[in-house]
Amino acid sequence: MKFTLSWLKDHLDTSADVAAVAEAMTMAGLEVEDVHDPVAALAPFTVARIVSAERHPNADRLQVCQVDTVDGPKEIVCGAPNARAGLTTIYAPIGAYVPGLDVTLVEKPVRGVVSHGMLCSASELELADESDGILELADDLTVGTPAAGVFGAEPVIDFEVTPNRPDWLGVAGIARDLAAASLGQLITPTVAPVAGTFPSPITVRIEAPEMCPVFAGRLIRGVNNGPSPEWLQRRLVAIGLRPINRLVDVTNLVAYDRCRPLHVYDAAKLVGTEIVVRGGQVAADTPEHDGGQHEHLIALDGKTYTVDPSMCVISDAAGERPIGLGGVMGGESTGCSDDTVDVFLESAWFDPLVTAQTGRTLAINSDAQYRFARGVDPASVVPGIELATKLILDLCGGEPSDIVVAGQVPAAPAAFAFDPARVGSLTGLALDDDRIAEILTRLGFEVARGAPWTVTPPSWRRDVEGPADLVEEVARIEGYGALPSTPLPDLGAPSKGVLNPRQARVRTARRALAAMGYAEAVTWSFTKQATAALFGGGDDRLMVENPIAADLDCMRPSALPNLIQAAARNADRGHPDAALFEIGPIYLDDTPTGQRTVIAGLVSPRSPRHWGGAAGDALFALKGDLMALLDELGAPTASLQLVQGQNHDWWHPGRSARLQLGPKNVMVEFGALHPGVLKALDADAPMLAFEMVLDAVPEPRGKATKARGPAVLAPLMPLTRDFAFVVEEGRATGDLVRAVAGADKALIAEVRVFDVYRGAGVAEGAKSVALEVVIQPREATLTEAEIEALSAKVVAAAGKLGAVLRG
């Protein structure tokens, strides 16, 4: 948002200079980004008059001019085609910095003739984008007059507007806050009604009140359009706007002056006598997803936009022809030109969310869309049209009709109770009630003093919803520099930073996964509602009221969708072989107990093409990583139950499982993700993952030690024995492994599966599982008899599960 100092003084009676205004704005919470002072930039430049101009002796396109300057007569070489005797222009002395050329003038010969200065064009002074020659000024200007005074240059303040303060998008709103901060007296002129002389022949009908609750209009006939007066053009150019014509320039002036966007239609180009406000239409006999059947609008920027039913459309011809996008941009078909005689003036209020979404969908960021998306003052609909009418009559003449208003203005903000003592309790400011009431009243709040007070926010401050907001307003205007400095209480010796058990386990898990080659991802705790629905979420209770982005509108029910999308983004950028993990919260419902801390991991195996194929099954590698992680966390891995076929829908039904300590304590789900879910998230299969609920992993029994104990290494060599057991097909191999490992826990160090066979020699409905049993002697080398006895224990333990040695 930009404005000039003189523009501000139309609303604020103050003697403050631009530096004082910028300082007061900063202290009042308005973030000033830049103060551009063209007066300082134009300080070296003054008015000069060419006395004579002769052709350069060594160049046909150059002239040697004798110039009367503030520094006396000067000989200047000039290449402008319009340089001539008697011309009044702008002179730059030696040593001056020319902003349009980004050079500092030095005295040097030009084709053998020394030039003692420069005659400037508009582009060289950055007064225009381009120019054909040097400036031609009025002959009555005195030589030596500063250029800044000639061009009416003045400082421009540029500041950032926060989304909750749309009233700052008008100079009047800035002046109001500065007046409340005691920088001056608010003198914003009151908008006087302009009486209509005839009924408006153009009526308005609202078919979509949820998009546009109120729409006001007025016909002004007999206007004389054309270029705006110099004062208006200068004011618009100073803030970076291009003057177009009087009618359009008036709407731009009101938008920046009062934060009241308007639009003007050439009444002669309207079809019919009724304007209809509705949603975008799709042909009745075609599906909505068929983009070719949507309405189209050629907008004022010359581009063609496709309109859908979520957008607000202004139409004529009994509602058939789109002529504008409500709150965003008008259509080319009804635009005003210098030939416009009758004009229909629009002042409406459009829903901020609809307007913002339309702008994002169509990639339009017009001045009107920027303001309506933040929430224009609904009470300014009629005053805005009255102010614009007066300006149009003053600049263009004409005869106004009565104002026609369709719909109803949205309800004003509700009053609420406020205890002024909260200012002191929350900020420490020692302000009496009169000062608090004075600040709020200057900001436009209605204050009814009682026990407690009743405060009603003004129509332009819909961001104020409760007492804390009022406390912030008082502190902001009184000055954050006035807040007392109070030291924090002495709490004794500082904490030594001892981690609680949960924090220690999170750190252990983070280090363990990083050591395994996983990269940590830090993603949002939000996701898109449709994505949350894929993972059992999407409940309306977990929707975010004010999301930071349209695709982050729901609290996530799982950490997996964010990891999937992160891996897909890596794959799109040429890094498909991802291994990611995240430790963070998920949200199963809106209660405090509905939040869980999870450890989620994901691998996207993409082995390079090789004649030997994949190095191994990544799913078993993932399970190995998971078991190693559980060991690091002290989980009772020997007691875990591996259950298949009971996972959620986002897991592959044939390649996923869960680890649990009984059916009521499911610790981990892991396996391959369902291809349908990956397709919905635009990710390529396969992807393998696990998600562990940290709260479900029991803490290790006994007091944890800070240091690992000494390693106990057996002095004897281990030996191995192989067994092949035939078991029923439905028996989990893990059950067999655990049974064999428990046959003799003192001697059996490890049990590995190295083959699973089905086919000839094995009965139908059974399988052969080959195990390698690692035996670790402890005190003496085992005899053959001891090894046979241990083998018998292994066979007996397997037999309890119905397994028999394969013959």
Side-chain angles (χ1 to χ4, degrees):
M1 173 68 184
K2 296 180 180 180
F3 64 94
T4 61
L5 184 60
S6 66
W7 196 341
L8 176 69
K9 291 185 177 181
D10 287 348
H11 298 273
L12 185 70
D13 184 9
T14 179
S15 59
D17 60 10
V18 66
V21 170
E23 174 66 18
M25 290 176 63
T26 300
M27 297 308 297
L30 290 84
E31 183 182 349
V32 176
E33 292 190 334
D34 181 49
V35 177
H36 176 63
D37 191 356
V39 176
L42 294 175
F45 304 92
T46 55
V47 172
R49 185 170 291 109
I50 300 176
V51 177
S52 65
E54 303 292 338
R55 194 176 73 174
H56 194 291
N58 301 320
D60 293 340
R61 295 186 178 182
L62 298 178
Q63 297 187 74
V64 179
C65 302
Q66 303 301 322
V67 184
D68 186 11
T69 74
V70 69
D71 299 323
K74 296 287 182 180
E75 185 173 71
I76 299 175
V77 178
C78 181
N82 62 333
R84 61 186 185 273
L87 178 65
T88 302
T89 186
I90 294 296
Y91 155 74
I94 297 297
Y97 172 76
V98 183
L101 299 178
D102 192 25
V103 298
T104 299
L105 298 181
V106 295
E107 192 174 277
K108 65 179 181 178
V110 181
R111 294 288 185 94
V113 178
V114 176
S115 182
H116 299 279
M118 178 179 177
L119 302 180
C120 302
S121 67
S123 61
E124 288 163 347
L125 297 180
E126 293 188 334
L127 300 175
D129 295 333
E130 57 184 33
S131 51
D132 296 330
I134 59 176
L135 285 159
E136 298 190 20
L137 304 179
D139 293 337
D140 57 354
L141 288 173
T142 303
V143 172
T145 302
V150 173
F151 301 116
E154 59 176 320
V156 177
I157 297 176
D158 185 6
F159 72 101
E160 183 67 26
V161 179
T162 55
N164 66 319
R165 292 302 304 271
D167 56 306
W168 284 345
L169 289 169
V171 180
I174 303 166
R176 183 188 303 110
D177 275 28
L178 293 178
S182 302
L183 190 69
Q185 186 70 30
L186 187 65
I187 56 171
T188 297
T190 303
V191 178
V194 178
T197 59
F198 61 94
S200 173
I202 299 175
T203 59
V204 178
R205 174 162 52 92
I206 298 177
E207 292 183 353
E210 71 282 1
M211 296 180 174
C212 175
V214 60
F215 188 110
R218 157 178 271 171
L219 181 72
I220 305 176
R221 62 190 182 192
V223 300
N224 180 20
N225 200 13
S228 294
E230 183 181 355
W231 71 265
L232 179 52
Q233 293 193 38
R234 185 178 297 173
R235 178 158 287 186
L236 296 179
V237 169
I239 61 172
L241 296 182
R242 179 175 61 89
I244 299 175
N245 55 52
R246 296 170 195 162
L247 293 172
V248 176
D249 292 351
V250 163
T251 63
N252 286 332
L253 178 69
V254 175
Y256 276 80
D257 189 73
R258 303 295 178 96
C259 188
R260 167 29 63 186
L262 305 166
H263 187 65
V264 284
Y265 303 91
D266 189 328
K269 298 177 182 178
L270 294 173
V271 178
T273 60
E274 183 181 46
I275 287 180
V276 180
V277 184
R278 56 174 174 78
Q281 294 181 350
V282 180
D285 57 346
T286 59
E288 289 193 8
H289 63 265
D290 184 358
Q293 302 300 325
H294 284 274
E295 290 183 303
H296 293 82
L297 172 72
I298 302 177
L300 287 172
D301 60 1
K303 298 179 181 179
T304 300
Y305 296 99
T306 301
V307 180
D308 64 47
S310 68
M311 302 175 185
C312 183
V313 172
I314 313 299
S315 61
D316 63 359
E320 294 298 324
R321 184 183 70 149
I323 59 173
L325 291 169
V328 178
M329 187 173 290
E332 186 178 69
S333 61
T334 56
C336 292
S337 66
D338 290 351
D339 299 327
T340 298
V341 176
D342 297 336
V343 60
F344 186 76
L345 180 61
E346 167 203 301
S347 179
W349 193 87
F350 298 99
D351 181 81
L353 293 180
V354 173
T355 309
Q357 186 59 53
T358 300
R360 284 195 294 265
T361 302
L362 300 180
I364 300 176
N365 189 21
S366 64
D367 284 339
Q369 188 269 347
Y370 186 78
R371 284 162 172 76
F372 278 120
R374 282 156 177 75
V376 171
D377 179 9
S380 69
V381 171
V382 173
I385 209 169
E386 298 280 21
L387 177 59
T389 300
K390 182 180 184 304
L391 289 170
I392 290 174
L393 295 181
D394 290 344
L395 300 179
C396 306
E399 183 182 8
S401 74
D402 295 331
I403 297 176
V404 55
V405 179
Q408 292 184 343
V409 175
F416 54 84
F418 175 65
D419 182 0
R422 294 201 64 182
V423 173
S425 63
L426 292 181
T427 67
L429 291 171
L431 301 179
D432 57 37
D433 290 357
D434 291 340
R435 175 57 179 161
I436 296 172
E438 177 189 9
I439 291 175
L440 295 178
T441 302
R442 285 187 174 187
L443 290 174
F445 294 87
E446 294 183 8
V447 178
R449 300 171 68 166
W453 292 6
T454 299
V455 178
T456 305
S459 58
W460 60 84
R461 290 302 305 273
R462 293 177 177 269
D463 60 302
V464 176
E465 298 177 345
D469 297 324
L470 296 181
V471 172
E472 181 182 3
E473 291 299 297
V474 172
R476 181 175 65 87
I477 298 301
E478 183 66 19
Y480 293 125
L483 295 175
S485 299
T486 304
L488 294 174
D490 184 5
L491 300 178
S495 171
K496 296 181 180 180
V498 178
L499 301 179
N500 62 37
R502 172 188 287 271
Q503 293 170 328
R505 300 181 84 188
V506 166
R507 183 172 68 172
T508 299
R510 180 176 287 113
R511 290 181 172 179
L513 288 168
M516 296 175 196
Y518 289 77
E520 184 173 11
V522 180
T523 69
W524 297 107
S525 294
F526 320 107
T527 188
K528 193 175 182 179
Q529 186 179 23
T531 301
L534 295 173
F535 290 81
D539 193 318
D540 289 342
R541 295 176 300 171
L542 295 177
M543 295 297 293
V544 181
E545 289 186 1
N546 186 23
I548 59 177
D551 57 350
L552 296 174
D553 59 355
C554 184
M555 306 302 292
R556 66 181 182 182
S558 168
L560 294 178
N562 290 349
L563 291 181
I564 293 170
Q565 292 170 326
R569 285 192 295 271
N570 277 274
D572 292 342
R573 289 158 176 78
H575 302 282
D577 193 8
L580 306 173
F581 79 93
E582 181 176 7
I583 304 176
I586 63 172
Y587 305 87
L588 305 181
D589 55 52
D590 59 346
T591 64
T593 59
Q595 180 176 327
R596 303 281 192 276
T597 299
V598 298
I599 305 173
L602 180 140
V603 293
S604 177
R606 300 286 191 275
S607 299
R609 297 177 66 184
H610 190 270
W611 65 271
D617 192 334
L619 182 55
F620 287 105
L622 177 76
K623 180 185 175 184
D625 292 344
L626 179 57
M627 298 302 293
L629 174 61
L630 289 169
D631 282 334
E632 288 289 335
L633 295 176
T637 52
S639 304
L640 292 179
Q641 300 172 353
L642 181 71
V643 180
Q644 293 180 275
Q646 298 184 21
N647 281 15
H648 290 102
D649 294 340
W650 53 90
W651 297 104
H652 194 298
R655 291 175 57 80
S656 61
R658 61 201 301 177
L659 293 173
Q660 61 186 40
L661 289 172
K664 294 185 178 180
N665 187 9
V666 178
M667 292 168 45
V668 190
E669 290 186 349
F670 72 98
L673 291 162
H674 198 289
V677 172
L678 296 179
K679 183 178 180 181
L681 297 180
D682 199 20
D684 294 331
M687 285 190 181
L688 313 175
F690 67 82
E691 189 165 42
M692 176 193 307
V693 179
L694 186 59
D695 298 332
V697 180
E699 296 183 10
R701 296 179 180 178
K703 185 177 181 180
T705 58
K706 294 185 179 180
R708 188 186 297 270
V712 180
L713 303 177
L716 304 174
M717 289 288 293
L719 65 148
T720 62
R721 287 293 183 269
D722 295 344
F723 299 86
F725 294 104
V726 177
V727 297
E728 60 182 6
E729 180 67 41
R731 173 65 66 181
T733 303
D735 295 342
L736 182 61
V737 171
R738 281 191 294 272
V740 170
D744 192 324
K745 295 182 179 180
L747 292 176
I748 297 177
E750 189 176 0
V751 180
R752 308 188 188 103
V753 180
F754 66 88
D755 184 50
V756 178
Y757 171 76
R758 302 172 182 83
V762 178
E764 186 75 22
K767 61 183 177 183
S768 172
V769 179
L771 304 177
E772 179 185 44
V773 179
V774 180
I775 303 170
Q776 176 63 65
R778 299 293 177 181
E779 298 178 355
T781 302
L782 298 179
T783 65
E784 190 66 30
E786 290 173 330
I787 295 174
E788 290 298 329
L790 180 60
S791 299
K793 289 182 180 180
V794 169
V795 173
K800 294 179 181 180
L801 299 181
V804 296
L805 278 176
R806 181 179 172 189

